[in-house]
Amino acid sequence: MSGSLWLKPPRTQTPLPAIPRPRGEGGGIGESDTGHATAPGAPTTRRTPPAPAGRPAPPGSAGPEAPAGSPGSAGSAGPVGAPGSAGSAGPVGAPGSAGSPAPAGQAGRPVEHTPPPDQDGLAADPLVALAQRLDGFVAAAVHPDEIAAILESDGMTDEHIRLTYGRADSFSLAEDLYARVERRHPEPAAPPAGAWYGELAGCLLRGLVFALPGLAYVLAAPLLAAGHGRLGLPAGTVPLLAGAVTGWVWNQALAHRAYTWLGLGDRPAAARALLTGAPAGALAGAAVALAAAGPGEIPAAVFAAGQSLYLAAATVLLVLGRERALLCALLPLAGAVPAFRWDLPDALRAALLLVSLAASVAFAALVLRPGARRGAAGRGGPPRAASLPYGLFGLGSGLLVLHAGVSDTLVSGAGAVIALTLSMGPAEWLLHRFRDGSLTRLRTLTTAREFRRAVTGTLVLCLGGYLTVLLALTLVATLAWPGAPWPTLPRLLTLLLIGTVLWLGLLLQAFGAVTSAATVCLLAAAAQTVEPAAGPVAAGGAAAVLAALTCALLVRPTAHRG
């Protein structure tokens, strides 16, 4: 595990359509010159302002300058239908008619516009106009709450909705719009040719670079040999674990901050965050390992310091998309394969480790050059506290993996650790498949109930696929690792439960529910630390809680709109 833990930059969404605002002098549909609201559809009454001093009143005005009984006054005694009478049957807009608009620019006031009349001569219903303008979005919605969300996001208050549309609140208006517009869901666009295979290859590559660093422990095993260890573990295990956990926590939070910068489109700022954060994480991991070292464990502490430096470099390369460069840096560790059968010289073992570490640091320094340029600091940036839950999730998940690997001895747990690290590549790919499948259902299904059923089925298939891969990798790793005992049924069940916790936790993290996932993982890891025999119960309880949270949060259509 490299510490990046499969964070992805946020995707930029297409902006939602703007809510049409009624045009008028009062700022709202149905408002008269006096500012009082009128009922939707009612004709608007207009007053002609008095003419300026020195100018005659316009024809047909009822102003004080027009004497009573004069032609064109409202109280004219002329015959019905005569020009200028209030009951004139002349064409609309003719001079002297009661409904004629005031001349443009009169008294410095703009001409007021009203909604066009319908066939019955009444003003158009503003709700009909709103439904027509939001037709595309309303037709694609699978629940009225989606429509209510866009109405509220545009700032439409309940008072405005009552005065303008005659509905109680945004939810009532959304339900009316949902009922008026027929459901129309466009077919999803076909993915580019070979996109699945390319994405799968990238995820498998990341899983490989997560697992290859485990060969470093094979090369370093004779160099770290000492007396009996502490806490029932082999010698040197405590400083190694202390440095690794520190690196996972720090680099997980650092990766989230850098990915946030990438999501904002500021790659130099992301590089600068990594440039300052990665060395600090390496120093923190080395300091914790040295502090945790006991008598005779100084070689293990030195190795843990190198491990912390590698974790920092690997985080930089993974966040900035340089998986192939990291793979090249890890190739010298392939020299550990002959060490499974033959004893290699200590000088060769140390040289392979140093070459791989130096290559990782060199590649990381090369990709961080944009962050070192002047003026690359970017804006104020996201708050640092926002990355804390991601670091805590890295702590909880890392402790669960360690418990799976050191419950008995390092050798007996090697198969479980290798399987979990290698499975992270397929796990990431299955997370993408769940996301893409949910978006496809969102575009093609017509009701919220159908969407819930489809998403639940997709979730079960993806989780089942991941557990199948994890089981297969566990069996293969056990057969390939010399001296590894065959896993018993309780240990195998515990491993699958831990895998369930990790995959569901990553899924919730991807949808923004990282605090819940981190809390559950930390509680399960704490229970296993206090009472190792309670491992299956703790992992099973955590898996059940995360499954319930996932079903409650991710079956809602609104969870996939953001």
Side-chain angles (χ1 to χ4, degrees):
M1 300 178 68
S2 67
S4 68
L5 283 178
W6 322 285
L7 287 167
K8 291 295 179 184
R11 298 181 180 178
T12 304
Q13 301 295 326
T14 304
L16 296 176
I19 300 296
R21 290 295 188 189
R23 295 185 300 173
E25 195 174 338
I29 289 179
E31 292 187 6
S32 64
D33 290 345
T34 60
H36 298 291
T38 60
T44 305
T45 303
R46 190 179 286 106
R47 295 184 302 139
T48 304
R55 292 187 181 182
S61 68
E65 287 80 0
S70 62
S73 66
S76 173
V80 176
S85 66
S88 172
V92 177
S97 62
S100 62
Q106 177 179 314
R109 298 180 60 182
V111 177
E112 183 178 1
H113 298 280
T114 57
D118 55 18
Q119 295 179 354
D120 298 331
L122 300 176
D125 187 353
L127 184 59
V128 175
L130 181 64
Q132 291 175 350
R133 303 202 182 198
L134 292 180
D135 180 78
F137 179 79
V138 176
V142 297
H143 195 275
D145 288 351
E146 297 184 51
I147 307 172
I150 188 176
L151 295 176
E152 293 176 354
S153 67
D154 194 66
M156 296 186 69
T157 62
D158 291 343
E159 181 181 3
H160 173 75
I161 291 174
R162 284 194 297 269
L163 295 177
T164 306
Y165 302 103
R167 301 300 183 270
D169 49 32
S170 60
F171 293 98
S172 301
L173 179 59
E175 291 175 357
D176 201 335
L177 292 172
Y178 186 82
R180 285 171 177 261
V181 180
E182 183 182 359
R183 307 270 72 72
R184 297 189 308 276
H185 299 275
E187 292 294 332
W196 279 37
Y197 299 99
E199 185 178 326
L200 176 60
C203 292
L204 292 178
L205 177 61
R206 292 170 70 88
L208 182 60
V209 299
F210 292 155
L212 277 179
L215 295 175
Y217 298 97
V218 178
L219 288 173
L223 305 177
L224 305 179
H228 297 287
R230 292 172 288 164
L231 306 176
L233 299 174
T237 303
V238 173
L240 288 176
L241 295 183
V245 170
T246 303
W248 290 344
V249 174
W250 183 279
N251 291 308
Q252 176 73 1
L254 176 62
H256 171 261
R257 183 166 180 81
Y259 273 132
T260 304
W261 277 120
L262 291 176
L264 294 174
D266 198 340
R267 190 177 180 88
R272 188 172 184 84
L274 293 169
L275 181 62
T276 56
L283 290 175
V288 171
L290 289 172
E297 292 183 334
I298 297 301
V302 173
F303 180 84
Q307 173 185 255
S308 300
L309 184 59
Y310 164 77
L311 287 175
T315 300
V316 171
L317 294 173
L318 289 173
V319 169
L320 297 181
R322 298 295 192 270
E323 290 89 352
R324 289 179 174 81
L326 182 58
L327 178 63
C328 293
L330 293 174
L331 287 179
L333 297 182
V337 175
F340 284 109
R341 290 187 174 273
W342 299 285
D343 188 18
L344 300 179
D346 291 346
L348 179 59
R349 292 174 181 268
L352 292 175
L353 292 172
L354 291 176
V355 168
S356 179
L357 178 60
S360 302
V361 174
F363 286 140
L366 288 176
V367 300
L368 284 179
R369 286 184 301 175
R373 295 173 184 170
R374 186 175 183 181
R379 295 156 287 180
R384 290 178 172 83
S387 301
L388 179 60
Y390 293 86
L392 295 178
F393 177 77
L395 173 61
S397 58
L399 289 176
L400 288 176
V401 173
L402 291 180
H403 281 298
V406 299
S407 56
D408 293 333
T409 63
L410 287 177
V411 175
S412 62
V417 174
I418 292 174
L420 283 171
T421 52
L422 282 175
S423 69
M424 289 299 103
E428 184 177 350
W429 184 75
L430 287 169
L431 291 175
H432 288 303
R433 298 282 64 76
F434 175 79
R435 174 67 172 172
D436 294 343
S438 301
L439 292 178
T440 300
R441 302 299 190 277
L442 194 63
R443 293 191 295 264
T444 56
L445 298 181
T446 57
T447 65
R449 182 177 181 181
E450 292 178 347
F451 180 80
R452 286 195 298 269
R453 294 175 58 185
V455 170
T456 302
T458 304
L459 177 63
V460 171
L461 288 176
C462 291
L463 178 58
Y466 170 69
L467 294 180
T468 302
V469 172
L470 178 59
L471 178 61
L473 289 174
T474 302
L475 299 179
V476 171
T478 302
L479 292 174
W481 191 274
W486 195 257
T488 62
L489 184 59
R491 285 183 57 82
L492 199 58
L493 178 61
T494 303
L495 178 64
L496 293 179
L497 289 175
I498 292 176
T500 302
V501 172
L502 293 179
W503 195 83
L504 292 178
L506 290 172
L507 181 62
L508 290 173
Q509 175 185 266
F511 280 86
V514 62
T515 303
S516 302
T519 302
V520 174
C521 289
L522 285 173
L523 290 176
Q528 287 196 3
T529 303
V530 174
E531 183 55 52
V537 177
V545 172
L546 290 180
L549 288 174
T550 303
C551 292
L553 296 176
L554 301 188
V555 298
R556 298 181 301 177
T558 52
H560 303 267
R561 283 292 192 188

